[in-house]
Amino acid sequence: MTEQNFLSKPYSYTLEKGQVSWQSPSNIALVKYWGKHGEQLPKNTSISFTLSNCHTQTTLFYEPKTKAGFDFEIYLDGKLEEGFEPKILKFFQRIENYLLFLKEYSFKIETFNSFPHSSGIASSASGMSALALCLMEMERKFNPEISKEYFHQKASFLARLGSGSACRSIEGPLVVWGEHSKVIGSTNLFGITYPLEIHKNFKKYQDTILLVDQGEKQVSSTVGHDLMHNHPFAEERFAQANTNLEKLIPILKSGNLDGFIEIVESEALSLHAMMMTSMPYFILMKPNTLEIINRIWEYRKKTGSKVCFTLDAGANVHVLYPELEKKQVYDFIKKELVAYCQNSKYICDLVGKGAKKVYI
Ligand code: PMV
């Protein structure tokens, strides 16, 4: 597969005014993507759990137009958001050759997140994937013969051009993005459903997201990715991520939770170590992030629980645990960890199956 496979073909008929709607989830990486090149191509392979409850629902209203150029408006929770326009404009410019109808229509993009906008949870993965799916739904109206597989691949391909990790939000429960010799079908162009065996221990895996800091991030992920160019440990880090993915394969197959914890926690800390050792250096963890990590380690030592943590590019902590331990770990979270969350806020989520079309 190359980019050429996703170029738009001329359409044989026009589409009148209408609307399409998709709901797309967030995802949490187990092996992290941090560092890119070219047009949003990853420097290493990553793998993520698709989430369920944290999602974005987007409705795309379209109407044919004659005026030249792009024409769109974005509403978040019913409110016009002009601040999002530069990001969407950049996205449209990047995907223009892959969707020939983009300049032929006026768009109104209406989007709702299931999680609070100020929660510090990145809405770019769910938001960009939901928009990419809506655009693909339009594309399908022009080309009704496209296969389901192609629909998913191109939606992921487009989402990637909006925000790298968004390409892992189309399907579930585990998605791989980035070419890896041990994962057949993996590619840098789009995310694929993890094609190998997954032990039942990982079914309905729980993710409770502890909202340690609900403010804007001090350093965006775009800047963070850029700092991996000329980073003294970059090549070792990319190699480490690819090795970690390879090590995860037998772990996911056998259900070895100790092995899983070791890789997932090490990945989270390696990601943040890259931030701390870039130039300029920065720290996204907060004192309460470390408090929570230490509490989790203590609890695990004391009880033999298989709970662990991961982090994305921020201070919030994703607490991961098997469904079998749901009750005990949730009690522990409420008793010992919620005190470290800003305004005691947290979100209960679990592994999900991917995006859904919304019929309206
Ligand atoms: O998709 P971006 O450009 O926002 O990068 C996301 C990077 C991490 O969330 C830190 C890791 C990942 O693989 O999701």
Side-chain angles (χ1 to χ4, degrees), residues 286-296 298 337 340:
K286 297 280 181 200
N288 281 352
T289 311
L290 298 181
E291 289 288 354
I292 291 168
I293 292 174
N294 280 311
R295 292 283 173 146
I296 290 174
E298 272 168 30
L337 304 184
Y340 298 109

Side-chain angles (χ1 to χ4, degrees), residues 26-56:
S26 189
N27 68 72
I28 180 69
L30 304 172
V31 172
K32 310 288 180 182
Y33 146 65
W34 198 243
K36 59 181 171 181
H37 64 104
E39 275 229 304
Q40 302 271 98
L41 296 165
K43 282 287 206 171
N44 61 262
T45 312
S46 58
I47 183 167
S48 51
F49 271 144
T50 303
L51 296 181
S52 203
N53 300 333
C54 287
H55 56 72
T56 298

Side-chain angles (χ1 to χ4, degrees), residues 135-345:
L135 291 167
M136 276 310 290
E137 197 58 54
M138 265 188 89
E139 166 97 337
R140 179 150 64 186
K141 288 181 187 290
F142 288 109
N143 291 306
E145 71 285 357
I146 60 177
S147 69
K148 200 169 163 191
E149 190 188 15
Y150 181 83
F151 180 92
H152 283 148
Q153 288 175 347
K154 186 162 171 181
S156 173
F157 171 85
L158 297 174
R160 185 199 101 225
L161 291 168
S163 172
S165 59
C167 78
R168 298 189 312 239
S169 275
I170 308 293
E171 294 179 280
L174 277 162
V175 176
V176 175
W177 172 38
E179 202 177 318
H180 197 291
S181 60
K182 296 288 190 287
V183 184
I184 296 163
S186 59
T187 161
N188 290 340
L189 297 179
F190 51 85
I192 62 159
T193 300
Y194 180 69
L196 303 165
E197 202 177 323
I198 307 170
H199 191 273
K200 64 174 173 9
N201 279 355
F202 299 105
K203 297 264 151 74
K204 294 196 184 163
Y205 221 71
Q206 306 290 304
D207 179 5
T208 304
I209 309 161
L210 304 180
L211 306 179
V212 171
D213 184 26
Q214 298 165 46
E216 278 282 306
K217 275 192 277 187
Q218 303 120 303
V219 182
S220 70
S221 52
T222 309
V223 172
H225 286 292
D226 265 358
L227 291 173
M228 288 303 278
H229 295 296
N230 305 318
H231 190 294
F233 308 135
E235 291 313 315
E236 286 82 353
R237 165 60 202 151
F238 304 142
Q240 177 199 38
N242 288 333
T243 305
N244 278 342
L245 193 118
E246 189 166 342
K247 285 186 187 161
L248 259 187
I249 295 172
I251 289 172
L252 290 172
K253 184 173 174 187
S254 65
N256 169 6
L257 293 172
D258 291 321
F260 178 79
I261 292 171
E262 200 170 280
I263 289 182
V264 169
E265 292 190 345
S266 161
E267 272 291 316
L269 295 179
S270 296
L271 167 72
H272 283 258
M274 290 301 109
M275 301 173 190
M276 290 188 230
T277 48
S278 59
M279 193 54 79
Y281 42 82
F282 59 103
I283 302 180
L284 294 184
M285 290 186 284
K286 297 280 181 200
N288 281 352
T289 311
L290 298 181
E291 289 288 354
I292 291 168
I293 292 174
N294 280 311
R295 292 283 173 146
I296 290 174
W297 285 345
E298 272 168 30
Y299 176 79
R300 207 160 66 210
K301 206 163 161 201
K302 209 167 67 196
T303 63
S305 162
K306 304 298 180 201
V307 62
C308 73
F309 72 87
T310 189
L311 308 167
D312 57 18
N316 296 335
V317 182
H318 288 250
V319 185
L320 301 177
Y321 46 104
E323 207 210 1
L324 212 65
E325 287 190 35
K326 190 173 167 175
K327 193 181 165 326
Q328 300 91 297
V329 175
Y330 187 49
D331 284 347
F332 157 66
I333 289 172
K334 281 191 293 189
K335 224 168 92 200
E336 291 198 42
L337 304 184
V338 169
Y340 298 109
C341 298
Q342 203 174 4
N343 305 320
S344 307
K345 288 222 172 91

